[in-house]
Each structure stands twice: as C-alpha cells, then as structure tokens.
Amino acid sequence: DAGITQSPRHKVTETGTPVTLRCHQTENHRYMYWYRQDPGHGLRLIHYSYGVKDTDKGEVSDGYSVSRSKTEDFLLTLESATSSQTSVYFCAISESILRQKTNYGYTFGSGTRLTVV
Amino acid sequence: GESVGLHLPTLSVQEGDNSIINCAYSNSASDYFIWYKQESGKGPQFIIDIRSNMDKRQGQRVTVLLNKTVKHLSLQIAATQPGDSAVYFCAETLGNTGNQFYFGTGTSLTVIP
C-alpha cells in the first residue's frame, strides 16, 4: 500500500529464535499499530505507538515487544518465537484521532506472513 | 464486531445482484465504524465509514446502515462485480486514546460470474 511498507513479506523461523518485523511509513502519521490476523480471530492488536518512543500494549502483547525510535519506523520483535506466533502480521498507520476528521481509520500494510517451525 | 468459530461466514452472489453483509458489533459505546475489504494476500482497505450519530451513509455502489438499538451494521454492495470478491469485515472504535479499533472476523464474499 502506498506510504506504508512491511518487511519481510514472508519469513520462516525456528522456535526459540528472535524475529524482528519492520514497518516503514512515509506519511508522517503519528499513530502506528501492529496487528496479527488468525483464522477465527480476525485482527487483534499487539502493540501500538502514539509517537516516537511512546508505545502501549494491545490485547495480545505477551511475547512481543516494539520500538519506535523514528516517526517512520515501528519495529515488532518476537523475543523467542513460538509456534503459536505463526500468523500474518499487519502494520497500520493512522493520522489522527481527532473527531473532526471524516475518516480516522487505518491504512494497512500488505502484511508479513510468519511461520515458526 | 465479533463472531466465534474457525470458519468465516460466506456469501455467494451472482454478478450484478446486490450483496448485503452483516456485522454485529460488541460495544454500545462505540462511536465510529468502518467497513474494510481484504483481498487475498493483501492488507485490508477502507471502504466506507459511519459515525454513531448517523444511521445510513452512501458511497459509490456501497451503503452502510447502522442500527444502534441492536448493535448491528450492514454493508450493501450494489450491482456486485467479480472484483468485489474478498473478505469484508467491520471495525468499531470508541475513539479513545490510541484510536484503537476492534475488528470482526469477517465475511467471505464470492461473486459468481
């Protein structure tokens, strides 16, 4: 999607190894999010950021950490990958939560398919 | 919206017919809703949004209806085309800090040529 890039697009890793996924945006949006998408669960929030060095946990944050040292980059790290973390990971960005805006929804990246074996 | 189960609800329609996709959302305090379309191998894309002070909003070939009494949202697609085949899901938010949205599990729409 224009303005937001996820890397890598696909990754296979072994149980117990650390993995870092990268989200890069060129839109200068303040808010960035990491979601995972699994059958039967839809999209679930892992972590989000509301500014440089400002992050917070979502509903499924256990086993994940994030960092945001620059506006444009939001990194998701699986500290010690487990098979339950096999999923498709989506990054999203949002310009604002200002209620005056007509649309303050997300723009999503194309996703990273992670397989933990 | 939330639904429980391992399988997506599915909807098959003939090309040219109208489609109606439903979503039951969970929080009566949610004040903003979005419908997303997700094609295979891609990220979700915004289709249309609606605020809680509205009950209907129209876009190009799409209409969203909101019934707050029963916490129900629907997406109507007019003259459905093969390119409309995708998974559709609704998202709700309270508009709270962090702009967190809650997503339903989705409905898979297949358009039969």
Side-chain angles (χ1 to χ4, degrees):
Chain A
D1 290 278
I4 179 170
T5 307
Q6 290 185 235
S7 60
R9 289 298 312 276
H10 303 272
K11 185 169 182 66
V12 180
T13 192
E14 293 185 349
T15 299
T17 60
V19 178
T20 296
L21 308 183
R22 181 181 184 236
C23 179
H24 178 77
Q25 61 143 331
T26 57
E27 304 295 323
N28 200 35
H29 285 352
R30 178 181 176 186
Y31 297 90
M32 299 185 76
Y33 310 82
W34 277 107
Y35 280 85
R36 61 178 289 175
Q37 187 175 41
D38 304 289
H41 292 281
L43 286 157
R44 292 180 292 173
L45 181 65
I46 305 171
H47 282 279
Y48 67 97
S49 170
Y50 46 95
V52 173
K53 292 184 169 46
D54 290 324
T55 64
D56 207 348
K57 296 179 180 179
E59 64 177 306
V60 291
S61 59
D62 287 347
Y64 302 94
S65 62
V66 290
S67 66
R68 193 170 178 199
S69 58
K70 298 184 290 186
T71 298
E72 57 265 37
D73 290 325
F74 193 33
L75 304 180
L76 175 71
T77 298
L78 288 65
E79 292 139 10
S80 178
T82 67
S83 58
S84 65
Q85 293 176 311
T86 293
S87 186
V88 180
Y89 291 85
F90 285 100
C91 177
I93 60 175
S94 176
E95 181 177 6
S96 172
I97 61 170
L98 291 176
R99 291 168 184 256
Q100 291 90 339
K101 290 200 175 286
T102 302
N103 168 14
Y104 57 95
Y106 298 165
T107 299
F108 282 90
S110 298
T112 295
R113 183 173 293 277
L114 177 68
T115 303
V116 183
V117 298
Chain B
E2 293 286 336
S3 64
V4 178
L6 296 177
H7 301 288
L8 284 176
T10 59
L11 176 65
S12 295
V13 299
Q14 291 286 338
E15 182 178 357
D17 287 351
N18 296 334
S19 304
I20 299 176
I21 301 170
N22 297 304
C23 174
Y25 64 92
S26 54
N27 194 327
S28 58
S30 292
D31 70 348
Y32 181 67
F33 306 86
I34 296 179
W35 278 100
Y36 285 92
K37 172 186 180 183
Q38 187 176 22
E39 296 174 283
S40 180
K42 296 183 179 180
Q45 293 180 295
F46 172 92
I47 301 173
I48 191 168
D49 61 349
I50 188 167
R51 293 182 178 271
S52 60
N53 61 356
M54 304 169 69
D55 53 21
K56 180 179 180 180
R57 189 153 192 245
Q58 289 184 291
Q60 187 177 13
R61 280 202 308 120
V62 294
T63 300
V64 55
L65 300 177
L66 174 63
N67 185 331
K68 295 182 288 294
T69 302
V70 294
K71 294 189 292 185
H72 183 267
L73 204 62
S74 69
L75 176 70
Q76 300 177 1
I77 304 174
T80 314
Q81 302 169 359
D84 295 327
S85 293
V87 174
Y88 292 81
F89 49 88
C90 64
E92 59 182 300
T93 184
L94 298 171
N96 57 350
T97 301
N99 199 28
Q100 183 174 340
F101 279 84
Y102 298 90
F103 293 82
T105 51
T107 295
S108 177
L109 174 67
T110 300
V111 180
I112 304 166

